[in-house]
């Protein structure tokens, strides 16, 4: 059973990824010195990135992986002449320093830890997958530091990623490795509306290369009273309001458009 979003202490971390997890302030580690239970401990990394252990004291572990910390602890025990050939294992119990967020149309939106490597696709799966209202486009928001200026200005980079099988789909963005602080937003489906002399008037999700002919098809086709020459699109134009556009079957339909099929005059 999965934990609610935000319950970080109970989120499962894949054992295959734990050894490559980079550690930071707030993380809780289990340090095991084999054959030496008195030297083993579960201990947190303080706000300065220091891990304090029995006998050897504080060790700066900021940015180190668990395997690198194991080697550093073993080296400290060896140099302190506490053990000749220490064998040390380090595991992450609670990972709080490396977090990403997923928002929008997923089953379990919230913040999740990065256990070593986490891709966009893996994060969506961890969050329970997409809802029925999810669009085929997700947006990765990433904080980028501009080193060209003094102090380094920060700005958000928006990376659109397409899901599903389309000509524009690139697989590599789905496999991009997420960084601490990244936000993945799953957009809601974009809709268009069709009314008038069609068999199934209502709202429908947008598709690639949507046009009037396809919109009418999704609306169940035209009724016997419909006129192919009296089709209009009501479209909201920024700063101009809603405009009525006389449409042909090959004209494109945009998100938010209202397609209206009038009845024949005769």
């Amino acid at each position: 059973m999965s934990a609610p979003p935000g319950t970080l202490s109970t989120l499962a971390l894949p054992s295959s990824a734990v050894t490559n997890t980079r550690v930071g302030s707030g993380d809780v580690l289990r340090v095991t010195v084999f054959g030496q239970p008195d030297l083993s401990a579960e201990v947190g990394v303080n706000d300065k990135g220091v891990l304090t252990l029995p006998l050897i004291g504080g060790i700066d572990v900021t940015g180190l992986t668990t395997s690198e910390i194991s080697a550093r602890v073993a080296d400290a025990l060896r140099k302190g002449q506490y053990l000749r050939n220490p064998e040390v294992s380090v595991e992450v119990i609670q990972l709080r320093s490396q977090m990403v967020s997923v928002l929008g149309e997923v089953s379990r939106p919230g913040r999740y830890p990065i256990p070593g490597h986490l891709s966009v696709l893996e994060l969506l799966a961890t969050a329970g997958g997409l809802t029925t209202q999810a669009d085929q486009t997700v947006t990765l928001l990433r904080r980028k530091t501009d080193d060209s200026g003094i102090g380094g200005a920060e700005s958000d980079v928006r990376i659109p990623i397409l899901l599903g099988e389309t000509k524009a789909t690139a697989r590599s963005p789905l496999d991009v490795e997420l960084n601490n602080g990244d936000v993945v937003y799953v957009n809601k489906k974009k809709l268009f509306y069709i009314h008038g002399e069609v068999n199934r008037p209502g709202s429908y999700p947008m598709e690639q290369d949507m046009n009037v002919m396809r919109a009418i098809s999704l609306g169940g086709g035209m009724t016997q009273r419909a006129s192919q020459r009296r089709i209009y699109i009501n479209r909201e134009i920024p700063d101009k309001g809603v405009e009525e556009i006389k449409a042909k079957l090959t004209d494109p339909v945009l998100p938010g458009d209202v397609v209206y099929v009038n009845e024949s005059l005769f």
Side-chain angles (χ1 to χ4, degrees):
M1 181 178 296
S2 58
T7 311
L8 305 182
S9 61
T10 58
L11 286 173
L13 301 177
S15 58
S16 60
V18 168
T19 54
N20 286 327
T21 301
R22 293 199 176 275
V23 170
S25 299
D27 294 344
V28 179
L29 311 180
R30 178 186 292 117
V31 180
T32 303
V33 182
F34 294 101
Q36 302 292 329
D38 293 340
L39 297 180
S40 302
E42 292 184 3
V43 62
V45 180
N46 68 20
D47 57 0
K48 295 181 180 179
V50 173
L51 185 72
T52 303
L53 295 169
L55 296 181
I56 60 179
I59 299 176
D60 186 358
V61 297
T62 302
L64 298 181
T65 64
T66 49
S67 56
E68 290 170 338
I69 296 170
S70 299
R72 187 164 291 191
V73 171
D75 187 56
L77 290 171
R78 192 180 302 109
K79 287 181 177 178
Q81 299 184 349
Y82 301 113
L83 294 172
R84 182 173 297 177
N85 294 305
E87 294 184 26
V88 180
S89 169
V90 176
E91 299 172 284
V92 177
I93 300 174
Q94 296 180 28
L95 183 61
R96 295 176 176 174
S97 62
Q98 303 292 314
M99 303 291 295
V100 293
S101 299
V102 57
L103 304 173
E105 297 300 323
V106 291
S107 298
R108 295 190 299 273
R111 299 177 71 235
Y112 290 87
I114 305 175
H117 170 88
L118 188 67
S119 69
V120 172
L121 199 59
E122 288 167 340
L123 175 61
L124 295 177
T126 302
L130 307 179
T131 70
T132 56
Q133 294 301 312
D135 192 21
Q136 289 299 294
T137 303
V138 303
T139 303
L140 171 59
L141 301 175
R142 173 165 290 172
R143 181 70 68 179
K144 184 178 181 181
T145 302
D146 181 8
D147 296 327
S148 60
I150 298 175
E154 289 189 343
S155 60
D156 282 332
V157 178
R158 300 173 64 90
I159 305 171
I161 301 172
L162 293 177
L163 305 174
E165 297 296 328
T166 68
K167 293 180 181 178
T169 299
R171 180 71 185 179
S172 55
L174 287 173
D175 296 326
V176 67
E177 185 171 352
L178 293 169
N179 298 333
N180 182 43
D182 281 352
V183 177
V184 174
Y185 184 80
V186 180
N187 302 295
K188 196 169 185 175
K189 279 181 182 176
K190 297 178 179 66
L191 303 175
F192 74 91
Y193 307 85
I194 184 162
H195 295 287
E197 296 300 327
V198 292
N199 291 302
R200 292 195 301 271
S203 60
Y204 292 88
M206 288 294 299
E207 297 177 358
Q208 287 285 101
D209 304 319
M210 177 67 72
N211 61 19
V212 172
M213 183 184 297
R214 176 59 179 159
I216 292 172
S217 175
L218 291 173
M222 292 188 289
T223 68
Q224 292 182 349
R225 296 187 300 272
S227 170
Q228 185 174 312
R229 296 182 179 180
R230 302 186 68 216
I231 301 172
Y232 296 87
I233 295 175
N234 292 311
R235 178 174 296 160
E236 187 169 354
I237 308 295
D239 302 324
K240 292 184 180 180
V242 177
E243 289 190 0
E244 186 177 77
I245 305 167
K246 186 172 176 59
K248 301 187 294 292
L249 293 178
T250 54
D251 285 348
V253 174
L254 304 181
D257 279 356
V258 179
V259 179
Y260 193 86
V261 181
N262 269 304
E263 64 181 351
S264 176
L265 294 175
F266 304 99

